[in-house]
Amino acid sequence: FFHLSLSIRNYNASESEGQLLNSFAQYFGDSLGKKIERMPLLEETVLPGDSLLTLPVVVIGNGPSGICLSYLLSGYRPYLSPEAVHPNPILHTKLEEARRLSIVDQDLEYLSEGLEGRSSNPVAVLFDTLLHPDADFGYDYPSVLHWKLEQHNYIPHIVLGKGPPGGAWHAMEGSMLTISFGDWMELPGLTFKEWAASKRRNIKSDRVMPEEIACYYKHYVKVMGLQKNFRDNVYVTSVSRLYRGKDDEDRSQLNENISTQHSEMEEGQKPLLKRNWEVRGYQRAADGSHVPFCLFAENVALATGTFDSPGRLHVEGEDFPFVLHSMSDFGAAVSKGKLRGKADPVLIVGAGLSAADAVLCAYNNSIPVIHVFRRRVTDSSLIFKQLPQKLYPEYHKVYHMMCTQSHSGDSNLHSAYTSFPEHNVLSFKPEMKCVLQSASGLKKILKFSVALVLIGSHPNLFFLKDQGHSIGHHLNQPITCKGNPIEIDPYTYECTKEANLFALGPLVGDNFVRFIKGGALGIARCLAVRQKKKRELMGSGDGGDGVP
């Protein structure tokens, strides 16, 4: 679908298309004051006229980032609670200065000035400290905010997701505890404990299983009345800019594939203006068929997370079927008993929490483990160094084994677990062997039953021009959550290199749910300010066409 061409000519089931997407257009037709019978399907040569469905915002991704953004775009507004006193006296004084205004209507740069936290994005730190004051110091203070639904602040939008609301949380291994407390995984307006109580679920500890979080997110969308904004089983295949001549006389359409020489207008020619976004893709129907669609949006928000493409070693033999790259595949093999009674150990590559989960899964099922990772066990950047032992005993158990049960040149493998710190995998062999190399250059060949490579994951932005390589901090490089996140304005979350394109969550370096909510706050404020300015311009009767 990298170069998917959507056309009415090669799609015959028009009735199915109408049934699937009619509600899509009907709802937004009502919201925008237009009569639209169904979702527009266009040939690529057709110019999108103003009468077609153009939404103020399309959100791509329905995980916690997309859900929280929809919550704020739906008109929910946070205010300082009447009796609340924030433990940070400077921040509290600032909040008191504009107590009558919602946080969305305040100066976020002013409020976040001087705050420190575990995010490099200041608004993320601000929102987190309002929702969970002094959480990093071990305090369990209540939020200083209360929420009001203000219908007049609603901004029409749609949230597109491949599965049910909750995104990747529905695909995570259900037997593992989350790294964060349940309270830190919650979204505004509904505490996780309230949800658990309503479902009569017995939450035994502050940390919960991913399946609980996935159910909570799905329920959140329903109870907050956000369902009308969500479309499931939707796959976006293209997001591109539309260009038009300034006077629009020829009514011709040019997309992002426009060549450089066309962009650089010759003297005397009228300049091209960037107009709205075109979002193309398909919705998977109940019978498995694909129903194509085409939408137009003034703004696009990227909330796709980071679980699309598992990290790869890029070594010989990595594509063999016995080399896995996901915890879910490994968990399925274990649950089906495929690895029981195997003489050879499981080879696990990586030193993060996913790799630790895999070690625990194998260890608890009496499957021997060879654990290979590049870093020293004393490396201060290892995630285990950042987790309090009292709160995360199972991960510290793995870390203890990494330190104490490591391979040495003159010793045999331990029966249950052996670590190979400061080792790289050079290749996988067809006879289920791998070649390791130590930091000193020594090579070793090991036999295994199955290999599991868990070295992180990367977002897949194939639907953007150049796969999004032009919008990161480092040009012409893939977007990664740590090394090369999307470059944004720190207070609006708008891409610095592409106007009207926003990003939040792991795409901008915020991997914890605690901090993705700040992105939703920044985007909601930016769009609310622009909406207000647009209304003022329209009210002034200046004759503008309102095109951003």
Side-chain angles (χ1 to χ4, degrees), residues 50 181 236 295 454:
D50 290 337
F181 298 120
V236 173
L295 280 173
L454 295 172

Side-chain angles (χ1 to χ4, degrees), residues 203-245:
I203 304 300
K204 296 180 180 179
S205 67
D206 289 330
R207 291 169 57 215
V208 294
M209 293 182 182
E211 62 180 295
E212 298 280 350
I213 298 297
C215 290
Y216 164 75
Y217 290 147
K218 191 174 181 180
H219 177 78
Y220 181 93
V221 169
K222 183 177 181 180
V223 77
M224 293 299 176
L226 308 180
Q227 281 183 315
K228 60 182 178 288
N229 301 311
F230 282 72
R231 291 298 178 273
D232 305 343
N233 303 314
V234 172
Y235 294 77
V236 173
T237 57
S238 172
V239 175
S240 58
R241 278 285 197 187
L242 302 176
Y243 287 82
R244 291 188 183 180

Side-chain angles (χ1 to χ4, degrees), residues 87-348:
N88 182 322
I90 297 176
L91 177 58
H92 185 75
T93 299
K94 293 179 179 179
L95 294 169
E96 284 285 3
E97 291 172 0
R99 176 180 278 277
R100 295 182 179 179
L101 294 178
S102 79
I103 304 300
V104 175
D105 298 315
Q106 297 187 38
D107 186 338
L108 301 182
E109 183 174 0
Y110 173 64
L111 291 178
S112 58
E113 184 181 17
L115 298 179
E116 295 181 356
R118 296 183 183 179
S119 171
S120 59
N121 296 312
V123 177
V125 176
L126 167 65
F127 209 23
D128 178 67
T129 198
L130 293 174
L131 293 166
H132 305 287
D134 285 354
D136 286 334
F137 297 105
Y139 295 105
D140 190 22
Y141 294 135
S143 169
V144 298
L145 302 177
H146 71 107
W147 293 83
K148 297 179 182 178
L149 177 57
E150 300 174 346
Q151 298 283 2
H152 63 278
N153 283 320
Y154 177 80
I155 298 178
H157 63 281
I158 197 78
V159 183
L160 307 178
K162 297 176 183 177
W169 285 93
H170 289 281
M172 291 184 189
E173 178 63 27
S175 63
M176 303 301 169
L177 292 171
T178 64
I179 185 63
S180 296
F181 298 120
D183 290 353
W184 291 359
M185 312 299 290
E186 66 193 22
L187 298 177
L190 178 67
T191 69
F192 186 78
K193 290 176 181 176
E194 287 174 342
W195 170 80
S198 70
K199 295 296 178 181
R200 297 182 180 178
R201 304 214 176 191
N202 182 19
I203 304 300
K204 296 180 180 179
S205 67
D206 289 330
R207 291 169 57 215
V208 294
M209 293 182 182
E211 62 180 295
E212 298 280 350
I213 298 297
C215 290
Y216 164 75
Y217 290 147
K218 191 174 181 180
H219 177 78
Y220 181 93
V221 169
K222 183 177 181 180
V223 77
M224 293 299 176
L226 308 180
Q227 281 183 315
K228 60 182 178 288
N229 301 311
F230 282 72
R231 291 298 178 273
D232 305 343
N233 303 314
V234 172
Y235 294 77
V236 173
T237 57
S238 172
V239 175
S240 58
R241 278 285 197 187
L242 302 176
Y243 287 82
R244 291 188 183 180
K246 192 169 184 178
D247 58 4
D248 218 8
E249 286 179 351
D250 59 359
R251 304 291 289 175
S252 64
Q253 174 185 347
L254 297 171
N255 61 21
E256 272 287 16
N257 295 324
I258 189 169
S259 62
T260 305
Q261 58 264 36
H262 284 118
S263 298
E264 297 170 357
M265 302 301 293
E266 296 177 7
E267 186 176 355
Q269 284 187 295
K270 295 177 181 179
L272 292 174
L273 294 180
K274 287 184 178 180
R275 197 171 164 89
N276 294 329
W277 294 98
E278 177 192 75
V279 181
R280 288 180 177 267
Y282 63 88
Q283 184 174 39
R284 193 178 69 244
D287 62 2
S289 62
H290 293 173
V291 183
F293 70 85
C294 181
L295 280 173
F296 302 100
E298 296 174 13
N299 304 279
V300 169
L302 302 175
T304 55
T306 183
F307 291 98
D308 290 322
S309 302
R312 297 180 66 86
L313 296 168
H314 300 292
V315 299
E316 178 189 349
E318 192 172 4
D319 291 324
F320 284 131
F322 50 77
V323 180
L324 310 178
H325 292 82
S326 77
M327 185 61 198
S328 58
D329 289 343
F330 179 64
V334 171
S335 64
K336 292 176 182 177
K338 293 183 178 181
L339 302 176
R340 290 188 181 275
K342 295 280 187 180
D344 297 317
V346 168
L347 173 70
I348 297 173

Side-chain angles (χ1 to χ4, degrees), residues 423-486:
H423 277 71
N424 288 309
V425 175
L426 294 185
S427 64
F428 295 100
K429 301 300 182 184
E431 59 272 20
M432 289 185 166
K433 292 180 180 179
C434 75
V435 180
L436 301 183
Q437 185 176 41
S438 68
S440 62
L442 292 176
K443 295 181 181 179
K444 188 174 183 67
I445 298 177
L446 298 176
K447 189 87 167 64
F448 61 88
S449 59
V450 67
L452 182 58
V453 179
L454 295 172
I455 55 173
S457 58
H458 307 299
N460 187 351
L461 300 176
F462 76 91
F463 51 82
L464 294 177
K465 181 186 178 185
D466 298 327
Q467 300 185 51
H469 291 189
S470 61
I471 57 176
H473 281 266
H474 306 293
L475 284 176
N476 303 319
Q477 293 184 23
I479 299 299
T480 61
C481 300
K482 292 183 180 179
N484 189 34
I486 294 175

